[in-house]
Amino acid sequence: MSDLCSLTIADAAPLLARRELSPVELTRAFLDRIAAVGPQVDAYVCVTAERALEDARRAEAEIAAGGYKGPLHGIPIALKDIYDTAGIATTCHSHLHVNRIPERDARAAALLREAGTVLLGKLATHEFAFGGPAWDLPFPPARNPWNREHFTGGSSSGSGAAVAAGLAMGTLGSDTAGSIRMPAFFCGITGLKPTYGRVSRRGVAPLAWSLDHCGPMTWTARDSALMLQAIAGHDPADPGSADRAVPDYDAALTGDVAGLRIGLIRHFYERDAEADGEVRAAMDEAAAAFAGLGARVEEVELSSLHDFHACCMVILLTEALAVHERDLRATPEKYGAIVRDRLMLASLLTGLDYVQALRLRRRLAAEVERALGRFDLLMTAGGYSGAPRLQQISKFYLLEKPLLTTPFDVTGSPTLAVCTGFTAAGLPVGMQLVGRAFDEATVLRAGDAYERATGWRRQRPALAAAA
């Protein structure tokens, strides 16, 4: 069971294609592992075992009949519980929607189903991808597989925990202020926030329309490339969707980054706000690793991290209140305290605040665009330390210290979170790789090359069934 659940998508796909591994066998291994160790991390709010076995049997029959669809055919995956799933509850981890059962799949969920994936279930999130970790909601918060007393990051908390714990081969998360990349950082996995508009958000509960991104969370950059291939593309029904050609992401992963120009944004995590010594050392080692692979790494200066973060927070809070105003007025008691209080805080913002934030956003986006004229990629830390303890996360932690992830929600740039090592306490840390608009291929190529050159993908959290 453990061996099968430690396979990457890229490892398993050729075995499934050659019928050396059965989708049913693989799915049963994951269902058994979810039953054995899943309660330790609370990654799932709903396990769809019957649906999973049905999907797996269908995939097995299709492959046996010569109808292999590609590298996701027969792969067990799970979805953050803000993605609509036909006939399966999509609760947004909230009492408000605890009995909501959609009639249609979200566009990204439908595309994964068309690619032949096996749906294991729905994953914990923060309420409406906004408020958490919290204990006044229908389900408990997800816990970090490296140390269950510690934070997973939010809001794609269950998505990060499930991949790290070997409870799904790939998951989908969403990212408005860092909700794919923060769980990737704290859980030691790979998470991709694609360019704004690259992946349809139709059927995904909104938090802030102009900041929301959907993307894959996996064990490796190559696996993220395979998942992105299936879900990327134009959707006329999503007004934020971009009509841009989708390249072959897997083919771009050559392992060669020689000559790539990388701008290191050191001041974000050393001067604007201070990361701990272990994160700074890991960033120095990552920069040296890229230099050793033939890339050219130079420092680059942008506006203060505080400017990016304030811009993101004003837009996010204002748009989130617009999403929830009607329900908040009608049934405030159905919201958890964290979301309710954050939305109440948002009501203090004015139209002037929002417009000024939009003006600042344009300036900051142009600044990053100019930097990416000089460099092929930018890199910076993904967080300040290993995961804090769950009980240390305050209601307004989003406002206490600028998040290192928010700049690239403001700009909409494709950004990959990659593990760069572990603290002395055994908790993961990581970096962000940032590319030009719609150039996920270069971001993934760099992340894949780094993962191949380092040993971090060989370390998994230890979870014993008897614990």
Side-chain angles (χ1 to χ4, degrees):
M1 180 178 70
S2 282
D3 290 344
L4 288 179
C5 295
S6 294
L7 291 173
T8 66
I9 296 173
D11 291 334
L15 300 177
L16 292 164
R18 295 194 299 265
R19 300 176 64 193
E20 295 173 19
L21 175 62
S22 156
V24 175
E25 178 189 9
L26 184 61
T27 299
R28 288 192 187 280
F30 275 94
L31 291 173
D32 289 346
R33 183 165 174 82
I34 291 167
V37 303
Q40 295 178 47
V41 293
D42 290 324
Y44 281 86
V45 299
C46 171
V47 178
T48 54
E50 291 184 10
R51 159 72 183 271
L53 290 170
E54 178 186 316
D55 289 348
R57 293 186 189 105
R58 183 186 308 109
E60 187 165 277
E62 290 167 345
I63 294 169
Y68 182 64
K69 296 179 177 180
L72 296 186
H73 205 172
I75 295 294
I77 60 100
L79 301 171
K80 183 176 182 177
D81 197 28
I82 64 169
Y83 284 78
D84 279 356
T85 40
I88 300 167
T90 300
T91 74
C92 300
H93 215 108
S94 176
H95 289 291
L96 188 67
H97 285 174
V98 73
N99 296 314
R100 179 177 175 270
I101 300 177
E103 296 181 357
R104 298 177 59 189
D105 285 338
R107 175 63 175 162
L111 290 170
L112 286 177
R113 190 171 192 177
E114 290 171 16
T117 59
V118 171
L119 181 64
L120 295 170
K122 305 297 288 292
L123 298 165
T125 177
H126 291 171
E127 186 178 21
F128 290 111
F130 190 34
W135 284 263
D136 59 348
L137 301 176
F139 314 102
R143 293 176 176 269
N144 195 312
W146 299 92
N147 186 322
R148 65 186 305 274
E149 298 305 317
H150 287 248
F151 190 36
T152 54
S155 62
S156 304
S157 51
S159 301
V163 172
L167 305 178
M169 300 190 84
T171 64
L172 289 186
S174 65
D175 196 309
T176 306
S179 292
I180 287 172
R181 291 160 291 146
M182 281 190 290
F185 176 88
F186 286 134
C187 294
I189 68 167
T190 302
L192 175 66
K193 181 189 77 65
T195 311
Y196 183 84
R198 175 61 95 186
V199 176
S200 173
R201 301 162 305 169
R202 173 159 53 103
V204 181
L207 175 56
W209 296 287
S210 73
L211 295 168
D212 291 342
H213 303 68
C214 297
M217 300 173 70
T218 60
W219 190 246
T220 66
R222 183 172 292 273
D223 285 359
S224 282
L226 296 174
M227 287 193 74
L228 180 63
Q229 197 73 57
I231 61 175
H234 183 230
D235 178 10
D238 175 0
S241 181
D243 191 1
R244 296 289 293 265
V246 178
D248 185 335
Y249 295 115
D250 190 48
L253 307 187
T254 62
D256 181 14
V257 293
L260 209 63
R261 300 163 299 166
I262 302 177
L264 173 62
I265 316 171
R266 186 185 296 275
H267 67 89
F268 274 8
Y269 59 91
E270 288 196 352
R271 296 201 314 271
D272 299 341
E274 190 172 345
D276 67 21
E278 291 173 309
V279 169
R280 296 198 303 271
M283 287 302 301
D284 289 344
E285 291 168 11
F290 277 122
L293 292 170
R296 291 181 291 164
V297 182
E298 301 174 21
E299 289 191 32
V300 61
E301 292 272 338
L302 299 176
S303 289
S304 169
L305 176 63
H306 292 273
D307 290 345
F308 283 96
H309 183 74
C311 179
C312 184
M313 285 297 106
V314 170
I315 295 171
L316 188 159
L317 288 167
T318 307
E319 294 186 2
L321 182 59
V323 170
H324 289 282
E325 182 192 18
R326 183 179 64 183
D327 289 330
L328 185 65
R329 287 180 182 274
T331 54
E333 72 281 359
K334 291 189 177 181
Y335 285 86
I338 294 178
V339 167
R340 187 170 60 243
D341 289 355
R342 288 180 183 174
L343 291 173
M344 293 296 187
L345 178 66
S347 70
L348 300 176
L349 295 168
T350 67
L352 175 62
D353 295 324
Y354 183 68
V355 170
Q356 295 289 41
L358 294 180
R359 293 178 65 205
L360 176 59
R361 182 183 197 175
R362 181 61 260 164
R363 181 173 68 76
L364 294 172
E367 183 180 314
V368 171
E369 187 175 4
R370 286 193 299 272
L372 286 165
R374 293 173 50 209
F375 297 99
D376 300 297
L377 293 172
L378 304 175
M379 65 181 285
T380 194
Y384 298 108
S385 67
R389 296 178 71 85
L390 275 166
Q391 300 292 350
Q392 294 175 325
I393 307 301
S394 72
K395 182 181 297 186
F396 294 111
Y397 77 89
L398 294 173
L399 305 178
E400 291 172 351
K401 192 172 184 177
L403 302 179
L404 285 154
T405 50
T406 50
F408 311 111
D409 290 290
V410 167
T411 66
S413 311
T415 310
L416 185 73
V418 180
C419 180
T420 55
F422 296 83
T423 68
L427 295 167
V429 295
M431 66 178 167
Q432 300 177 84
L433 298 171
V434 185
R436 299 175 183 128
F438 301 101
D439 190 16
E440 290 86 3
T442 300
V443 173
L444 289 161
R445 174 161 61 101
D448 173 66
Y450 174 82
E451 290 176 349
R452 293 193 209 185
T454 57
W456 308 123
R457 295 302 75 205
R458 294 192 291 271
Q459 294 183 229
R460 293 268 192 171
L463 291 168

